[in-house]
Amino acid sequence: MLQIHSYWAYLVLLVLILAVGNSLLGLVKKKSFTDKDLRLALFTLILSHFQLLIGFVVYFNQGWHKNIGAMMSDSAGRLLALEHPLTMIIAIALITIGWSKHKKKTEDAAKFKTIFTFYAIALFLILLRIPWSNWFDF
Ligand code: HEM
């Protein structure tokens, strides 16, 4: 499961970066919001939700929830037991809010702007709290 979580992270980051770039481009170039833009944003939502599920399985399988207290004194443990999961949950919630808010907008620019704002903050949070040293086994 950890391996799937580890590989899935590449997919999530890739589509999220594409969605952020695409929505920025759409906004700046005043493009119309097409099916392609919708699908990219939706795909990002689905892949990130799947990552959330895998993350929960890894978290409980490895028993991190039983050790939160003990992990707080050490920064690597705190990252995995608390900071990473919590930050990722917030990031995925932002993606979800961005997705549902964009659907209510009628203007194309407003759709791009909503996706861009929420997805970009989510990307920033994810990059901030990925356990990079575990991922690349430094
Ligand atoms: C967008 C969402 C997420 C991304 C991009 C992500 C990414 C990653 C990456 C790259 C690693 C390092 C994997 C490795 O060691 O090879 C990792 C580890 C981990 N993730 Fe996530 N994750 C996400 C969400 C979550 C969530 C929601 C949870 C828990 C509720 C979670 C729990 C964990 C745990 C416990 C580990 C450490 C496992 C270990 O090294 O023993 N992740 N995550």
Side-chain angles (χ1 to χ4, degrees):
M1 264 300 170
L2 177 60
Q3 249 183 18
I4 301 176
H5 190 67
S6 180
Y7 286 121
W8 205 264
Y10 286 105
L11 282 179
V12 173
L13 276 185
L14 180 74
V15 289
L16 184 55
I17 290 169
L18 287 177
V20 169
N22 183 63
S23 53
L24 181 63
L25 212 71
L27 188 63
V28 173
K29 297 204 158 182
K30 297 187 170 51
K31 290 185 177 180
S32 48
F33 194 87
T34 63
D35 257 10
K36 183 191 111 279
D37 304 306
L38 182 105
R39 262 186 257 122
L40 181 57
L42 178 61
F43 203 48
T44 309
L45 176 83
I46 295 170
L47 291 186
S48 61
H49 276 230
F50 194 66
Q51 181 71 335
L52 183 74
L53 290 182
I54 310 169
F56 271 107
V57 175
V58 173
Y59 191 83
F60 290 109
N61 258 348
Q62 296 186 342
W64 289 99
H65 57 295
K66 296 183 197 144
N67 294 317
I68 293 186
M71 290 292 168
M72 284 310 103
S73 52
D74 137 63
S75 74
R78 197 164 55 229
L79 175 66
L80 294 180
L82 186 72
E83 294 171 359
H84 171 66
L86 203 65
T87 314
M88 301 300 129
I89 292 169
I90 296 170
I92 294 168
L94 286 172
I95 292 177
T96 314
I97 297 169
W99 167 258
S100 45
K101 273 189 178 297
H102 106 277
K103 285 199 293 184
K104 298 191 189 94
K105 308 283 180 195
T106 46
E107 285 169 26
D108 290 354
K111 283 179 185 284
F112 280 126
K113 193 175 171 190
T114 311
I115 298 277
F116 174 72
T117 311
F118 284 87
Y119 282 36
I121 300 171
L123 176 61
F124 175 73
L125 290 177
I126 290 173
L127 293 178
L128 211 61
R129 277 297 171 268
I130 272 187
W132 295 103
S133 52
N134 293 51
W135 202 13
F136 295 119
D137 219 354
F138 292 145

